[in-house]
């Protein structure tokens, strides 16, 4: 890293007086010949982005977490200052389900704050003008009108069970907006709904509801159990988008979108968790009972995104939930087979 960029912010004179004017003046961002850093390339979203971007005429930059700790500011500034990619997609995050969020609120808040703060600062110092920050549907207020439009952000209290992760993601979105307003940076933000697919986390404590249910159903079938447990009342509704569909939408935004406002990325339909559990059981071939545990939290009653902004750009999801579940279960079985053979 060159000495002149170490710890030095670009001058305030580069600030743009009107970020709304700046956003309309930005042309499309061609990926041809560009180097794109996928931060968090080993995660589910990062892997999907690598698959999707292999079809583009760009160079993909990745770095292993053993070589770069994204929560360490000096390390991030050094790497970005040396590599100087043309664009960054920040798919790195500390993620988990309700239980994981409740058990480690400090970790979910501080790690996710640090990742986005460090990458944003490093990108600005290295004069990188294109970055895509990822939020999440959980950053919307618990009682936001359904489906949730981008305008619902910060209009009410958050769901307590994942508020720490949500606060960090809100800060990331506002950070991108601040760099745009003050320095005219072409930083954009997207808010994916609940994602699933190859590369998901099937840990029963740290994983999200869909992979956890797939694992529970698989294990219940394997041991001949008469029932599996589903947290909560089963009435909470969730929207699920296959991660490869999400990656396709994110690449579209990276190439064509230059607005200051965040963009929802969702499937457009939701499902009650009890119905999801039945669909998972059919996918796995498990015919036991589903035991509800209403003593456990439901989380937000409903989370369905208004994706009209993205659809106006011509994007539609291609992978139906039943199809995506079957593919995800096949991937999980292949992982188990590889682990057993190792």
């Amino acid at each position: 890293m060159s000495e002149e960029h170490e710890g030095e912010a670009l001058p305030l004179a580069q600030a743009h007086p009107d970020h709304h004017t700046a956003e309309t003046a930005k042309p499309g961002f061609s990926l041809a010949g560009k180097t794109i850093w996928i931060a968090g390339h080993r995660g589910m979203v990062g892997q999907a982005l690598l698959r999707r971007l292999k079809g583009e005429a760009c160079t993909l930059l990745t770095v292993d977490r053993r070589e770069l700790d994204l929560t360490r500011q000096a390390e991030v500034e050094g790497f970005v200052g040396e590599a100087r990619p043309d664009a960054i997609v920040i798919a790195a995050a500390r993620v988990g389900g309700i239980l994981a969020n409740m058990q480690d609120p400090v970790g979910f808040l501080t790690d996710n704050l640090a990742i986005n703060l460090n990458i944003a600062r490093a990108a600005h110092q290295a004069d990188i003008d294109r970055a895509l920050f990822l939020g999440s549907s959980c950053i919307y207020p618990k009682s936001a009108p359904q489906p949730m439009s981008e305008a619902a952000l910060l209009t009410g209290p958050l769901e307590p069970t994942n508020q720490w992760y949500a606060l960090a993601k809100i800060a990331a979105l506002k950070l991108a907006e601040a760099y745009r307003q003050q320095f005219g940076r072409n930083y954009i933000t997207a808010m994916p709904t609940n994602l699933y697919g190859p590369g998901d986390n099937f840990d029963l404590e740290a994983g999200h509801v869909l992979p956890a249910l797939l694992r529970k159903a698989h294990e219940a079938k394997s041991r001949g159990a008469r029932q599996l447990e589903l947290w909560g009342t089963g009435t909470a509704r969730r929207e699920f988008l296959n991660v490869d569909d999400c990656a396709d939408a994110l690449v579209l935004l990276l190439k064509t979108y230059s607005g200051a406002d965040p963009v929802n990325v969702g499937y457009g339909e939701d499902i009650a968790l009890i119905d999801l559990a039945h669909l998972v059981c059919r996918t796995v071939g498990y015919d036991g009972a589903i035991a509800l545990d209403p003593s456990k939290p439901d989380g937000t009653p409903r989370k369905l995104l208004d994706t009209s902004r993205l659809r106006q750009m011509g994007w539609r999801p291609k992978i139906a939930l039943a199809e995506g579940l079957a593919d995800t279960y096949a991937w999980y079985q292949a992982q188990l087979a590889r682990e057993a053979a190792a």
Side-chain angles (χ1 to χ4, degrees), residues 20-38:
H20 293 290
T21 302
E23 78 189 42
T24 58
K26 299 284 187 181
F29 183 79
S30 172
L31 300 183
K34 301 292 199 311
T35 296
I36 314 297
W37 176 30
I38 307 299

Side-chain angles (χ1 to χ4, degrees), residues 81-116:
E82 181 72 22
R84 293 187 179 274
D86 297 293
I88 303 172
V89 181
I90 306 170
R94 182 170 183 176
V95 298
I98 289 177
L99 181 60
N101 274 266
M102 292 172 64
Q103 289 179 335
D104 189 15
V106 172
F108 273 85
L109 180 58
T110 59
D111 285 355
N112 286 299
L113 279 172
I115 289 169
N116 287 282

Side-chain angles (χ1 to χ4, degrees), residues 132 140 148-150 188-193 195 239 241-242 244-257 261-268 305-318:
L132 171 54
Y140 285 115
M148 299 179 290
S149 74
E150 292 87 351
I188 60 173
T189 57
M191 293 189 286
T193 190
L195 303 175
E239 176 186 27
L241 180 69
N242 188 277
D244 285 311
D245 270 340
C246 178
D248 187 59
L250 295 179
V251 170
L252 172 69
L253 293 174
L254 186 64
K255 293 165 65 174
T256 66
Y257 185 65
D261 295 326
V263 179
N264 285 338
V265 180
Y267 186 71
L305 293 181
D306 178 350
T307 56
S308 56
R309 178 173 291 166
L310 182 59
R311 288 174 180 263
Q312 287 170 4
M313 300 178 198
W315 185 87
R316 297 288 188 279
K318 300 180 179 68

Side-chain angles (χ1 to χ4, degrees), residues 22 79 89 93 133 146 174 189 226-227 229 285 287 321:
F79 170 76
V89 181
F133 293 74
Q146 302 289 322
K174 287 299 180 182
T189 57
R226 293 184 177 182
Q227 66 179 33
E229 182 186 71
D287 58 4
L321 181 57

Side-chain angles (χ1 to χ4, degrees), residues 4-5 8-19 22 26 84 121 123-129 178-187:
E4 65 267 25
H5 289 284
E8 177 186 346
L10 292 182
L12 288 175
Q14 293 189 17
H16 198 289
D18 183 352
H19 70 280
K26 299 284 187 181
R84 293 187 179 274
R121 178 181 173 87
H124 176 58
Q125 289 182 346
D127 200 23
I128 296 166
D129 195 48
Y179 272 106
R180 172 183 291 270
Q181 179 174 314
Q182 186 171 348
F183 299 105
R185 289 297 182 199
N186 194 10
Y187 296 167

Side-chain angles (χ1 to χ4, degrees), residues 36-66:
I36 314 297
W37 176 30
I38 307 299
H41 73 284
R42 291 192 180 278
M44 179 172 63
V45 176
Q47 291 178 45
L49 282 165
L50 292 180
R51 290 192 294 271
R52 173 62 181 79
L53 285 167
K54 284 180 180 178
E56 303 288 339
C58 61
T59 299
L60 299 175
L61 176 65
T62 62
V63 59
D64 193 270
R65 68 175 61 185
R66 291 170 295 185

Side-chain angles (χ1 to χ4, degrees), residues 13 37 71 93 105 114 118 124 135 137 144 147 179 232 259 275 302 319 339:
W37 176 30
T71 67
N118 293 342
H124 176 58
S137 60
Y179 272 106
D275 294 329
R302 190 183 187 195
I319 304 170
E339 292 171 6

